Coordinates of all heavy atoms in Angstrom, one line a residue:
M1 N 86.0 66.3 120.6 CA 86.9 66.2 119.5 C 87.4 67.4 119.0 O 88.6 67.7 118.6 CB 86.1 65.3 118.4 CG 86.9 65.0 117.2 SD 88.1 63.8 117.7 CE 89.1 63.6 116.3
M2 N 86.4 68.4 118.9 CA 86.8 69.8 118.4 C 87.9 70.4 119.3 O 88.8 71.1 118.9 CB 85.6 70.7 118.2 CG 84.7 70.4 117.1 SD 85.5 70.4 115.5 CE 85.6 72.2 115.4
M3 N 87.7 70.3 120.7 CA 88.7 70.8 121.6 C 90.0 70.3 121.4 O 91.1 71.0 121.4 CB 88.3 70.6 123.1 CG 89.2 71.4 124.1 SD 88.6 71.1 125.7 CE 89.2 69.4 126.2
I4 N 90.1 69.1 121.1 CA 91.4 68.3 120.8 C 92.1 68.8 119.6 O 93.3 69.1 119.6 CB 91.3 66.8 120.8 CG1 90.8 66.3 122.2 CG2 92.6 66.1 120.3 CD1 90.4 64.8 122.2
V5 N 91.3 69.1 118.5 CA 91.8 69.6 117.3 C 92.3 71.0 117.6 O 93.4 71.4 117.0 CB 90.8 69.5 116.2 CG1 91.2 70.3 115.0 CG2 90.4 68.1 115.9
A6 N 91.6 71.9 118.2 CA 92.0 73.3 118.5 C 93.2 73.3 119.4 O 94.2 74.0 119.1 CB 90.9 73.9 119.3
L7 N 93.4 72.4 120.4 CA 94.6 72.4 121.1 C 95.8 71.9 120.3 O 96.8 72.5 120.6 CB 94.4 71.5 122.3 CG 93.4 71.9 123.5 CD1 93.3 70.8 124.6 CD2 94.1 73.2 124.2
L8 N 95.6 71.0 119.5 CA 96.8 70.5 118.6 C 97.1 71.7 117.7 O 98.3 71.9 117.4 CB 96.3 69.3 117.9 CG 96.2 68.0 118.6 CD1 95.6 66.9 117.7 CD2 97.6 67.7 119.1
I9 N 96.2 72.5 117.2 CA 96.6 73.5 116.2 C 97.3 74.7 117.2 O 98.3 75.1 116.6 CB 95.3 74.2 115.7 CG1 94.8 73.2 114.6 CG2 95.6 75.5 114.9 CD1 93.4 73.5 114.1
V10 N 96.8 75.0 118.2 CA 97.4 76.0 119.0 C 98.8 75.7 119.6 O 99.8 76.3 119.3 CB 96.6 76.5 120.2 CG1 97.3 77.4 121.2 CG2 95.3 77.2 119.7
W11 N 98.9 74.4 120.2 CA 100.2 73.9 120.6 C 101.2 73.6 119.5 O 102.3 73.9 119.6 CB 100.1 72.8 121.6 CG 99.4 73.3 122.9 CD1 98.2 73.2 123.3 CD2 100.2 73.7 124.0 NE1 98.1 73.7 124.5 CE2 99.2 74.1 125.0 CE3 101.5 74.1 124.1 CZ2 99.7 74.7 126.1 CZ3 101.9 74.7 125.3 CH2 101.0 75.0 126.4
G12 N 100.8 73.2 118.5 CA 101.5 72.8 117.3 C 102.1 74.0 116.7 O 103.2 74.0 116.3
G13 N 101.4 75.1 116.7 CA 101.8 76.3 116.1 C 102.8 77.0 117.0 O 103.8 77.6 116.6
M14 N 102.6 76.9 118.2 CA 103.7 77.3 119.2 C 105.0 76.6 119.1 O 106.0 77.2 119.1 CB 103.1 77.3 120.7 CG 104.0 77.9 121.7 SD 103.6 77.8 123.4 CE 104.0 76.1 123.7
I15 N 104.9 75.4 119.0 CA 106.1 74.5 118.9 C 106.8 74.8 117.6 O 107.9 75.0 117.5 CB 105.8 73.0 119.0 CG1 105.4 72.8 120.5 CG2 106.9 72.2 118.6 CD1 104.7 71.3 120.8
A16 N 106.0 75.0 116.5 CA 106.6 75.3 115.1 C 107.3 76.6 115.2 O 108.4 76.8 114.7 CB 105.6 75.3 114.1
S17 N 106.7 77.6 115.9 CA 107.3 78.9 115.9 C 108.5 79.0 116.8 O 109.5 79.7 116.6 CB 106.3 80.0 116.4 OG 105.8 79.7 117.7
I18 N 108.6 78.1 117.9 CA 109.8 78.0 118.8 C 110.8 77.4 117.9 O 112.1 78.0 118.0 CB 109.4 77.3 120.0 CG1 108.6 78.1 121.0 CG2 110.7 76.9 120.7 CD1 108.1 77.3 122.2
L19 N 110.6 76.4 117.2 CA 111.6 75.8 116.4 C 112.2 76.6 115.4 O 113.3 76.6 115.0 CB 111.0 74.4 115.9 CG 110.8 73.3 116.8 CD1 110.2 72.1 116.1 CD2 112.1 72.9 117.7
A20 N 111.2 77.4 114.7 CA 111.7 78.3 113.6 C 112.6 79.4 114.2 O 113.5 79.9 113.7 CB 110.5 78.9 113.0
L21 N 112.3 80.0 115.4 CA 113.1 80.9 116.1 C 114.4 80.4 116.6 O 115.4 81.0 116.6 CB 112.5 81.6 117.2 CG 111.3 82.6 117.0 CD1 110.5 83.0 118.2 CD2 111.9 83.8 116.3
R22 N 114.4 79.2 116.9 CA 115.8 78.5 117.3 C 116.5 78.3 116.1 O 117.8 78.4 116.1 CB 115.5 77.2 118.0 CG 115.0 77.4 119.5 CD 114.8 76.1 120.2 NE 116.1 75.6 120.4 CZ 116.4 74.4 120.9 NH1 115.3 73.6 121.1 NH2 117.6 74.0 121.1
A23 N 116.0 78.1 115.0 CA 116.8 77.8 113.7 C 117.4 79.1 113.2 O 118.5 79.2 112.8 CB 115.9 77.2 112.6
R24 N 116.6 80.3 113.3 CA 117.1 81.5 112.8 C 116.7 82.6 113.8 O 115.7 83.2 113.7 CB 116.5 81.9 111.4 CG 117.2 81.2 110.3 CD 116.6 81.6 109.1 NE 115.7 80.5 108.7 CZ 114.5 80.7 108.1 NH1 114.2 82.0 107.6 NH2 113.7 79.7 107.7
P25 N 117.4 82.9 114.9 CA 117.0 83.6 116.0 C 117.1 85.1 115.7 O 116.3 85.8 116.2 CB 118.0 83.3 117.1 CG 119.2 82.8 116.5 CD 118.8 82.2 115.2
E26 N 118.0 85.5 114.8 CA 118.0 87.0 114.6 C 118.2 87.3 113.1 O 118.9 86.6 112.5 CB 119.2 87.5 115.4 CG 119.1 89.0 115.4 CD 120.3 89.6 116.5 OE1 120.4 89.0 117.5 OE2 121.0 90.5 116.2
R27 N 117.6 88.3 112.6 CA 117.6 88.7 111.2 C 119.0 89.3 111.0 O 119.3 90.2 111.6 CB 116.5 89.7 110.9 CG 116.3 89.9 109.5 CD 115.2 90.6 109.1 NE 115.1 90.8 107.7 CZ 114.2 91.4 107.0 NH1 113.0 91.7 107.7 NH2 114.2 91.5 105.8
T28 N 119.6 88.9 109.9 CA 121.0 89.3 109.6 C 121.0 90.4 108.6 O 121.8 91.1 108.4 CB 121.9 88.2 109.2 OG1 121.4 87.4 108.1 CG2 122.0 87.2 110.4
D29 N 119.8 90.4 107.7 CA 119.9 91.3 106.5 C 118.5 92.2 106.7 O 117.5 91.7 107.0 CB 119.9 90.7 105.2 CG 118.8 89.7 105.0 OD1 118.3 89.1 106.1 OD2 118.3 89.5 103.9
F30 N 118.7 93.5 106.4 CA 117.6 94.4 106.5 C 117.4 95.0 105.2 O 118.4 95.2 104.3 CB 117.8 95.4 107.6 CG 117.7 94.8 109.0 CD1 119.0 94.5 109.6 CD2 116.5 94.5 109.6 CE1 118.9 94.0 110.8 CE2 116.5 94.1 110.9 CZ 117.8 93.7 111.5
P31 N 116.2 95.4 104.8 CA 115.9 96.2 103.6 C 116.6 97.4 103.5 O 116.9 98.1 104.6 CB 114.4 96.3 103.5 CG 114.0 96.1 104.8 CD 115.0 95.3 105.5
P32 N 116.9 98.0 102.3 CA 117.4 99.4 102.3 C 116.6 100.5 102.9 O 115.4 100.3 102.9 CB 117.7 99.6 100.8 CG 116.8 98.7 100.1 CD 116.6 97.6 101.0
G33 N 117.2 101.6 103.3 CA 116.4 102.6 103.9 C 116.7 102.6 105.4 O 117.5 102.1 106.0
G34 N 115.8 103.4 106.0 CA 115.9 103.6 107.5 C 116.8 104.5 108.0 O 117.3 104.4 109.1
E35 N 117.0 105.6 107.2 CA 117.9 106.6 107.7 C 117.2 107.3 108.8 O 116.1 107.5 108.9 CB 118.2 107.6 106.7 CG 119.1 107.0 105.5 CD 118.5 106.3 104.5 OE1 117.3 106.5 104.3 OE2 119.1 105.4 103.8
D36 N 118.1 107.9 109.8 CA 117.5 108.5 110.9 C 117.3 110.0 110.5 O 118.2 110.6 110.0 CB 118.6 108.6 112.0 CG 118.1 109.2 113.3 OD1 116.8 109.2 113.4 OD2 118.9 109.4 114.2
D37 N 116.1 110.4 110.8 CA 115.7 111.7 110.3 C 115.6 112.7 111.5 O 115.2 113.9 111.3 CB 114.4 111.8 109.6 CG 113.2 111.2 110.4 OD1 113.4 110.8 111.6 OD2 112.0 111.2 109.9
H38 N 116.1 112.3 112.7 CA 116.1 113.2 113.8 C 114.9 113.9 114.2 O 114.8 115.0 114.6 CB 117.2 114.2 113.6 CG 118.5 113.6 113.4 ND1 119.2 112.9 114.5 CD2 119.3 113.5 112.3 CE1 120.3 112.5 113.9 NE2 120.4 112.8 112.7
R39 N 113.8 113.2 114.1 CA 112.4 113.7 114.4 C 112.3 114.1 115.9 O 111.7 115.1 116.3 CB 111.2 112.9 114.1 CG 111.0 112.9 112.4 CD 109.8 112.1 112.2 NE 109.8 111.9 110.7 CZ 108.8 111.3 110.1 NH1 107.9 110.8 110.8 NH2 108.9 111.1 108.9
E40 N 112.9 113.2 116.7 CA 112.8 113.4 118.2 C 113.6 114.7 118.7 O 113.4 115.2 119.7 CB 113.3 112.2 118.9 CG 114.6 111.8 118.7 CD 114.8 110.8 117.6 OE1 113.8 110.4 117.0 OE2 115.9 110.5 117.2
D41 N 114.6 115.2 117.7 CA 115.4 116.3 118.1 C 114.7 117.6 117.9 O 115.0 118.5 118.4 CB 116.8 116.3 117.2 CG 117.7 115.1 117.5 OD1 117.4 114.6 118.7 OD2 118.5 114.7 116.7
D42 N 113.7 117.6 117.0 CA 112.9 118.8 116.6 C 111.7 118.9 117.6 O 111.2 118.1 118.1 CB 112.3 118.7 115.2 CG 113.4 118.6 114.3 OD1 114.5 119.1 114.4 OD2 113.2 118.1 113.0
P43 N 111.5 120.2 118.0 CA 110.3 120.5 118.9 C 109.0 120.2 118.2 O 108.9 120.1 117.0 CB 110.4 121.9 119.3 CG 111.1 122.6 118.1 CD 112.1 121.5 117.6
I44 N 107.9 120.0 119.0 CA 106.6 119.7 118.4 C 106.1 121.0 117.8 O 106.3 122.1 118.3 CB 105.6 119.3 119.5 CG1 106.0 118.0 120.2 CG2 104.2 119.3 119.0 CD1 105.3 117.5 121.4
V45 N 105.5 120.9 116.6 CA 105.1 122.1 115.9 C 103.8 122.6 116.5 O 102.9 121.9 116.8 CB 104.7 121.7 114.3 CG1 104.2 122.9 113.6 CG2 106.0 121.2 113.7
Q46 N 103.9 124.0 116.9 CA 102.7 124.7 117.5 C 101.9 125.4 116.5 O 102.6 126.3 115.7 CB 103.3 125.6 118.5 CG 104.1 124.9 119.6 CD 103.2 124.4 120.8 OE1 102.1 124.9 120.9 NE2 103.7 123.4 121.5
H47 N 100.6 125.1 116.3 CA 99.8 125.9 115.3 C 98.9 126.8 116.1 O 98.4 126.4 117.1 CB 99.0 124.8 114.5 CG 99.8 123.9 113.6 ND1 100.4 124.3 112.6 CD2 100.1 122.5 113.7 CE1 101.1 123.4 111.9 NE2 100.9 122.3 112.6
D48 N 98.7 127.9 115.6 CA 97.8 128.9 116.2 C 96.5 128.8 115.6 O 96.2 128.9 114.4 CB 98.3 130.4 115.9 CG 97.5 131.4 116.6 OD1 97.0 131.1 117.7 OD2 97.5 132.5 116.2
T49 N 95.6 128.2 116.4 CA 94.3 127.9 116.0 C 93.3 128.9 116.6 O 93.2 129.2 117.7 CB 93.8 126.4 116.3 OG1 94.0 126.1 117.7 CG2 94.6 125.5 115.4

């Protein structure tokens, strides 16, 4: 009985998440911020230890 309950929870969650992603597949609004600070353009800081 516990295995059936666990399977229903897992498969039910998977089906619910698939349906939610089909309803809203991509986020259209993002929070403010997220400016590019070009960290990958700068070299790694070398410290003399």
Side-chain angles (χ1 to χ4, degrees):
M1 184 68 184
M2 290 296 290
M3 185 176 80
I4 293 172
V5 171
L7 287 172
L8 286 175
I9 290 173
V10 170
W11 286 98
M14 186 184 74
I15 291 170
S17 58
I18 288 172
L19 292 176
L21 283 173
R22 288 185 69 189
R24 282 181 263 147
E26 194 170 314
R27 188 171 180 171
T28 57
D29 59 331
F30 292 99
E35 288 85 21
D36 188 15
D37 59 359
H38 301 287
R39 287 187 189 179
E40 62 271 354
D41 296 339
D42 297 331
I44 297 174
V45 177
Q46 300 275 332
H47 295 287
D48 187 26
T49 55

